[in-house]
Amino acid sequence: MKKNNTTPMIGFIALGLLAPVVSAQNNNQITQETIDRLEKRITELEQNIEVMAEELEHNYSASKKSDSQLHIGGYGELHYNHLDQDGEDIREIDFHRLVMFFGYQFSDSIRFISELEVEHSLVSSGSRGAVEVEQAYLEFDLLKSAQVRTGIQLMPLGIISETHEPPTFYGVERPIIETTIIPTTWYSAGISWVHAIDNGISYNLMLSEGLKTEDPNSDPNADPFDLKAGKQKASFADAHALAITGRIAYRGAKGLELSVYAQYQPDLDQKAEVSYAEDATLVGGHVVYQMGDFTGKALYARWDLAGDAAVEADKDVQDGGYLELGWKPAESWGVFVRQSSWSQQNGVEAEQSKVGVNYYPHPDVVIKADIQVQNEDAGNSDGFNLGVGYQF
């Protein structure tokens, strides 16, 4: 095969070498010694060219292998919000996030996955932007369908925590229950075990850094039971008490996904001594069912916070859920309606209603519009949202 690839080149060179021979033959000066010398030179040249061809082929194969080992992707979204929030007219344009994925395949059984995100376009003193490493972990295949992951990982909780690219969900903003109660996007440093069984059941077990809520003893304005604010994001995270997370999911029937999950936080203040906050437990579950053009989703999650301080603050129970129905009669567009209800304090029942449309000029590009109405406990934030997003 290699000889055939080099034959044309050898032929041209051979013609050049034979030219003096032909000339000599025309002048009746050719000798057997001249012919033998030229044949030897041609053989040596052919061998050298074959070696060069093998080296080029090896370098090309190595380059192709390197390209196949490196994986690049990402997503982004731009939002326009026009809302009346408790009498305040809010009109904002925000490049909400730009995310880049980088992965590398070390071998058939070892890989690296990472996700780097820039939020709100600008990161500077006084700005609301942020640069975050939301994923950066090594994954090792230990069994045919089981992996160990170590590093920064997304929590296996809710519907959109691990899959939240704009074309994958309805609405300009992510479902509010999954950004307040759970709260997504939630990532932590730790180690996890992931196992998919042939019958459609899979499960996750994860040991990671825990939440750390603010201490009112050091800051009178702090809310020690603001769980979303307690995410440490793997940045010098206190690890006095590690969190334990588990999930079981079933996807063995066409169009159906059932999932239940739980997380236990042994100590919300991450201190050796007992102080203002004690342990907390999250339990939740969801169902997603697609039948033809219709998709239904239902999710519920609940936190139970231990300790007298949480009871006195009326924040010992924080929960919420939503129902969503989507109809996608064509590949290029779909509509949805979603009803959400949540409470982060006893006696406060927030509600939000949304209806909207997604338009897909390409399967990985989406243009979104929705209308939202919220009650007084949710801030009376009424109006509409527009957005555009993409993934690759």
Side-chain angles (χ1 to χ4, degrees):
M1 189 69 179
K2 296 184 180 67
K3 186 173 182 179
N4 290 338
N5 291 334
T6 58
T7 298
M9 183 182 298
I10 295 173
F12 283 118
I13 296 174
L15 286 174
L17 293 172
L18 289 173
V21 177
V22 175
S23 175
Q25 185 179 27
N26 291 337
N27 295 326
N28 296 320
Q29 296 175 350
I30 189 169
T31 64
Q32 184 62 41
E33 182 182 357
T34 300
I35 294 174
D36 292 341
R37 186 170 63 251
L38 289 175
E39 286 181 347
K40 181 179 179 182
R41 291 178 62 185
I42 290 173
T43 300
E44 292 174 350
L45 183 61
E46 182 178 13
Q47 292 173 345
N48 290 336
I49 291 177
E50 286 190 0
V51 171
M52 293 173 59
E54 288 177 356
E55 290 179 353
L56 288 172
E57 183 176 348
H58 173 75
N59 293 335
Y60 177 74
S61 298
S63 175
K64 292 293 287 183
K65 181 180 180 181
S66 178
D67 290 343
S68 66
Q69 289 176 308
L70 179 64
H71 308 284
I72 299 176
Y75 69 91
E77 52 190 334
L78 174 69
H79 296 168
Y80 172 73
N81 307 106
H82 186 157
L83 304 171
D84 179 359
Q85 187 168 344
D86 281 335
E88 181 183 358
D89 186 16
I90 297 176
R91 306 186 189 192
E92 289 183 339
I93 296 177
D94 179 34
F95 195 88
H96 203 133
R97 52 181 58 91
L98 174 66
V99 180
M100 293 299 298
F101 298 130
F102 298 96
Y104 190 78
Q105 190 82 25
F106 291 99
S107 67
D108 292 339
S109 60
I110 304 174
R111 63 198 62 87
F112 170 72
I113 293 94
S114 70
E115 178 180 341
L116 179 65
E117 176 171 349
V118 178
E119 291 193 343
H120 310 298
S121 181
L122 178 65
V123 182
S124 64
S125 177
S127 73
R128 295 161 59 188
V131 175
E132 298 181 339
V133 178
E134 289 198 350
Q135 295 187 81
Y137 65 88
L138 286 169
E139 182 176 73
F140 302 86
D141 293 337
L142 297 189
L143 300 174
K144 181 180 179 181
S145 56
Q147 296 82 37
V148 167
R149 299 171 180 173
T150 178
I152 301 176
Q153 306 168 57
L154 295 169
M155 287 292 178
L157 302 166
I159 298 174
I160 68 167
S161 179
E162 296 173 296
T163 305
H164 44 250
E165 292 76 15
T168 64
F169 65 92
Y170 282 112
V172 175
E173 307 291 347
R174 295 168 179 174
I176 196 165
I177 305 302
E178 297 198 63
T179 60
T180 55
I181 301 300
I182 289 182
T184 297
T185 303
W186 184 2
Y187 57 88
S188 297
I191 185 169
S192 66
W193 169 268
V194 183
H195 189 190
I197 305 174
D198 291 339
N199 59 7
I201 295 177
S202 62
Y203 65 91
N204 301 57
L205 293 173
M206 184 174 179
L207 183 66
S208 67
E209 68 187 62
L211 299 174
K212 182 183 179 180
T213 56
E214 294 297 325
D215 187 349
N217 295 321
S218 59
D219 182 1
N221 297 318
D223 181 357
F225 308 110
D226 184 349
L227 300 177
K228 183 175 183 178
K231 296 186 294 184
Q232 299 194 74
K233 301 184 177 182
S235 178
F236 300 101
D238 286 333
H240 172 73
L242 298 177
I244 302 171
T245 307
R247 177 181 66 182
I248 299 176
Y250 173 73
R251 302 180 181 89
K254 182 179 179 181
L256 177 64
E257 177 183 322
L258 294 171
S259 185
V260 293
Y261 25 84
Q263 183 182 87
Y264 178 64
Q265 299 274 345
D267 189 353
L268 282 175
D269 59 19
Q270 295 293 326
K271 295 181 179 179
E273 68 277 5
V274 177
S275 59
Y276 67 93
E278 299 182 24
D279 61 291
T281 304
L282 170 70
V283 294
H286 68 257
V287 56
V288 179
Y289 184 60
Q290 181 177 353
M291 184 174 62
D293 299 333
F294 293 92
T295 301
K297 297 180 181 181
L299 179 144
Y300 176 77
R302 170 183 170 129
W303 281 101
D304 285 282
L305 282 64
D308 294 337
V311 174
E312 291 172 2
D314 286 328
K315 293 189 175 182
D316 54 314
V317 175
Q318 301 181 31
D319 66 342
Y322 71 89
L323 296 172
E324 177 185 296
L325 179 63
W327 178 47
K328 193 176 181 184
E331 290 295 322
S332 60
W333 66 278
V335 295
F336 81 101
V337 59
R338 181 190 302 135
Q339 181 65 35
S340 304
S341 178
W342 70 101
S343 174
Q344 294 174 285
Q345 185 173 359
N346 296 337
V348 178
E349 298 293 335
E351 294 185 359
Q352 181 190 77
S353 302
K354 274 198 175 187
V355 60
V357 59
N358 281 15
Y359 171 66
Y360 305 88
H362 182 277
D364 293 326
V365 177
V366 63
I367 299 171
K368 303 181 178 184
D370 64 58
I371 299 172
Q372 72 176 50
V373 177
Q374 297 186 171
N375 70 355
E376 184 176 354
D377 285 345
N380 285 331
S381 184
D382 305 337
F384 68 90
N385 307 287
L386 302 175
V388 60
Y390 53 87
Q391 64 181 6
F392 58 90

